[in-house]
Amino acid sequence: MSMDGLIIKIKQCFVKVPILYHFKATAIGQYLFKITYSFLTLRRQKRNLKSTVNNFIVKQYHEDERYLVVGDNGKKEIEKKYSWYRDCAVCRKHTTSTDAFYNGQFSFRRCKDCGFVWMQPIYCDNVIASIYNGKEDSKFKAITNYVEKNFLKKTTLEIEKPPLPPSFYIQKLLWSLKQIGGRANNLLDIGCQNGNFLLEAKHYFHDVQGVEMNVKSAKYAMERGLIVHNMPIEEIKLPDAFFDVITMNQVIEHIKDPSIVLEKAFKLLKRNGVLFISTPNIDGISYKMFKGAHSLLRGNSHISMFNIPSLGRLGNSVGFKTENSGTYYLDVSLYDLIAYYYYGLVNNQDKFLHRYNVHLYGYVFFHALQFLMMPFLFNRYKEFHGPTKEWGSYLYMIFSKP
C-alpha cells in the first residue's frame, strides 16, 4: 500500500468506526490524529521530493553523452578532443595504477602507492565549465522550485550535503581547536552552497565567510546576509594568515588538482588554525559492495576520491599536521539491498542504481522495516571506531597548521 493510500484508509477508519469517530471528537483524540496525519503527510512529501530529485539526477546522467564514444574495449569513453589525462593528484607524479571502477560512462583508476582514486580521463576545462554551470543551474531551479512549493525555503539544495547536521562538524572543529590551543574567531567555508552551514557557524564564530562557484547558490547565500565570494578559492584576494578555521564539506572530490586548493588554504590559515575536510570515503563498505553503481561515482562530477591514508598524505605534503580523522554513515539502505540482490538474481545488475530505487519508496512495509533497523544498520549519525573505523561511506579529517 502506498503512503497516499494509507492516509486515505486512516481517514476512512475515523469516519466509519464509531469508537474512533467519538474518540477523534475528544481533545486528546484530535491531538493524536493531528500528529499522525502530519507525520504521514510529511513522509509523503519527503518521498515525493526524493523521487522528483532522484529521477531528475538519473536523467542528468545521460545528458553529456554527446562527448562520449565507444572505445576499442567496448566501453564508453570521452572523445580524445574533449579529454584530459592526469597523474595521481596525491603523489603528484606518474605512478602505477589499476582499474578501480567503471560506472557505465567513465573509468576510474586507483594509485597503488597511496590508494587515491581518480576519474581517467576527465573532461577538459572548457567542457567541464559548460556542463557544470548548465547542470547546476538547471538542477538548482528544479530542486528549488519543488522545495519552495512544498517545504521551508531554508532547505533549498541542502539535500546535496551529507546526512549529518552542521553541529557535527562544528563540535569536531571546536574540540580540535581546544586541543591545539587555537582560537574560534574567523571561519571560511569553501563550497558553501546556499549558506546553511555558515548560518549555523555564526553562533560559534565571530566572522564567517564562504566561497561558492555556482552563481545562483552564491546569490541566494548573499541574500541571507552572508559574505560569499563567487570565484575560485585560488583567486580570492585575502591576506595570508587571516582565518582560524577553513572547512571543505563535500567539495574536494570535485576538484581536479586538490593540492592547489590545500596550498591556498594553508596560506589563508593562521598558525594553529584548523582545516576541516569531509568527503566520500572510497574504501567504505558501500563502495566495495556497489562499485561503479554507487551514486557518488555516477556522472562526471566526482573526479577525485579519497580514503583516509591518501587524504592524510595529501595534507601532510602541503605542510599540514593531521589531528583527527574518522568515517561516518553507512550509505546502504534497505531499498538498495533489495534492489541490488534482486537484479543480481535475475542476472540484470546493470539496471541497479544505488540510492535511486524510487519504485520501492511507496511501500509502507519497507518504510517500517527500515525504521526498525535504523538504530542497528542505517544510523545516519553513526561514527565508526576501532576495527570498523574505515567502514563509513564518508570520511572527515582535521588538519592543523603548525
Side-chain angles (χ1 to χ4, degrees), residues 347-364:
N347 200 26
N348 200 5
Q349 209 143 28
D350 289 341
K351 287 190 175 182
F352 172 78
L353 280 176
H354 169 243
R355 270 199 204 165
Y356 301 128
N357 306 296
V358 294
H359 55 288
L360 296 175
Y361 290 158
Y363 292 93
V364 176

Side-chain angles (χ1 to χ4, degrees), residues 9-111:
K9 288 289 185 184
I10 291 175
K11 284 183 176 181
Q12 290 174 347
C13 287
F14 275 98
V15 173
K16 294 181 179 180
V17 181
I19 295 177
L20 293 177
Y21 180 79
H22 292 295
F23 175 71
K24 182 187 173 184
T26 64
I28 188 170
Q30 291 179 358
Y31 179 71
L32 291 175
F33 178 80
K34 184 177 180 180
I35 289 178
T36 304
Y37 180 73
S38 299
F39 172 76
L40 292 176
T41 301
L42 182 62
R43 290 288 298 179
R44 178 183 61 184
Q45 290 177 332
K46 286 185 175 180
R47 187 198 72 215
N48 291 342
L49 171 64
K50 194 167 187 178
S51 297
T52 299
V53 173
N54 287 348
N55 285 327
F56 181 85
I57 294 174
V58 170
K59 184 179 178 181
Q60 292 280 349
Y61 286 157
H62 306 290
E63 71 171 8
D64 306 322
E65 297 206 352
R66 61 186 180 275
Y67 299 109
L68 302 179
V69 295
V70 177
D72 296 335
N73 57 4
K75 295 181 178 180
K76 293 178 184 176
E77 59 185 37
I78 302 174
E79 196 173 348
K80 292 191 182 299
K81 64 180 179 180
Y82 300 124
S83 61
W84 187 75
Y85 288 80
R86 56 182 177 151
D87 294 323
C88 175
V90 176
C91 300
R92 303 196 211 183
K93 61 181 181 180
H94 180 71
T95 57
T96 304
S97 61
T98 58
D99 288 327
F101 305 104
Y102 176 69
N103 67 9
Q105 291 180 315
F106 306 98
S107 297
F108 291 81
R109 306 285 296 176
R110 181 187 288 271
C111 176

Side-chain angles (χ1 to χ4, degrees), residues 125-142:
D125 289 343
N126 59 332
V127 175
I128 289 178
S130 63
I131 293 176
Y132 186 82
N133 289 333
K135 180 182 295 186
E136 287 299 301
D137 287 346
S138 59
K139 185 164 70 173
F140 183 94
K141 183 177 180 180

Side-chain angles (χ1 to χ4, degrees), residues 35-308:
I35 289 178
T36 304
Y37 180 73
S38 299
F39 172 76
L40 292 176
T41 301
L42 182 62
R43 290 288 298 179
R44 178 183 61 184
Q45 290 177 332
K46 286 185 175 180
R47 187 198 72 215
N48 291 342
L49 171 64
K50 194 167 187 178
S51 297
T52 299
V53 173
N54 287 348
N55 285 327
F56 181 85
I57 294 174
V58 170
K59 184 179 178 181
Q60 292 280 349
Y61 286 157
H62 306 290
E63 71 171 8
D64 306 322
E65 297 206 352
R66 61 186 180 275
Y67 299 109
L68 302 179
V69 295
V70 177
D72 296 335
N73 57 4
K75 295 181 178 180
K76 293 178 184 176
E77 59 185 37
I78 302 174
E79 196 173 348
K80 292 191 182 299
K81 64 180 179 180
Y82 300 124
S83 61
W84 187 75
Y85 288 80
R86 56 182 177 151
D87 294 323
C88 175
V90 176
C91 300
R92 303 196 211 183
K93 61 181 181 180
H94 180 71
T95 57
T96 304
S97 61
T98 58
D99 288 327
F101 305 104
Y102 176 69
N103 67 9
Q105 291 180 315
F106 306 98
S107 297
F108 291 81
R109 306 285 296 176
R110 181 187 288 271
C111 176
K112 281 190 173 182
D113 291 345
C114 66
F116 174 70
V117 173
W118 70 97
M119 186 185 291
Q120 183 77 304
I122 61 173
Y123 287 125
C124 55
D125 289 343
N126 59 332
V127 175
I128 289 178
S130 63
I131 293 176
Y132 186 82
N133 289 333
K135 180 182 295 186
E136 287 299 301
D137 287 346
S138 59
K139 185 164 70 173
F140 183 94
K141 183 177 180 180
I143 296 174
T144 302
N145 288 345
Y146 191 90
V147 170
E148 290 183 352
K149 182 179 178 181
N150 297 279
F151 301 95
L152 297 176
K153 191 173 183 179
K154 65 181 181 180
T155 63
T156 305
L157 275 186
E158 203 57 26
I159 58 168
E160 295 298 308
K161 285 294 184 181
L164 281 176
S167 57
F168 171 85
Y169 304 117
I170 293 174
Q171 294 305 322
K172 290 286 184 186
L173 288 172
L174 295 177
W175 178 86
S176 298
L177 283 169
K178 184 177 180 180
Q179 294 296 112
I180 63 176
R183 296 176 295 175
N185 290 333
N186 305 325
L187 177 142
L188 175 69
D189 185 28
I190 301 175
C192 66
Q193 287 196 341
N194 68 336
N196 280 13
F197 176 76
L198 290 177
L199 290 177
E200 179 77 14
K202 287 180 75 173
H203 298 296
Y204 302 89
F205 296 87
H206 175 69
D207 176 36
V208 298
Q209 299 183 37
V211 178
E212 176 54 49
M213 288 290 293
N214 183 267
V215 176
K216 292 192 175 182
S217 296
K219 181 180 178 182
Y220 182 73
M222 287 186 276
E223 289 174 354
R224 304 171 85 179
L226 297 169
I227 300 174
V228 176
H229 307 275
N230 184 218
M231 63 182 70
I233 180 66
E234 310 92 272
E235 299 177 9
I236 288 183
K237 306 297 183 185
L238 288 171
D240 294 346
F242 185 77
F243 292 99
D244 298 296
V245 172
I246 294 178
T247 56
M248 297 177 64
N249 298 325
Q250 307 303 305
V251 172
I252 197 169
E253 64 272 15
H254 298 272
I255 301 171
K256 71 175 185 180
D257 193 350
S259 60
I260 294 178
V261 177
L262 263 60
E263 287 170 357
K264 180 65 175 183
F266 190 85
K267 291 180 180 179
L268 292 175
L269 274 176
K270 299 177 182 176
R271 186 174 179 275
N272 286 341
V274 164
L275 170 66
F276 180 97
I277 298 177
S278 67
T279 187
N281 173 30
I282 198 63
D283 281 350
I285 287 181
S286 60
Y287 294 91
K288 293 179 179 178
M289 180 181 295
F290 303 131
K291 300 181 174 63
H294 199 288
S295 61
L296 298 184
L297 290 175
R298 304 293 294 184
N300 56 54
S301 60
H302 287 184
I303 59 178
S304 299
M305 307 295 285
F306 293 86
N307 54 14
I308 289 179

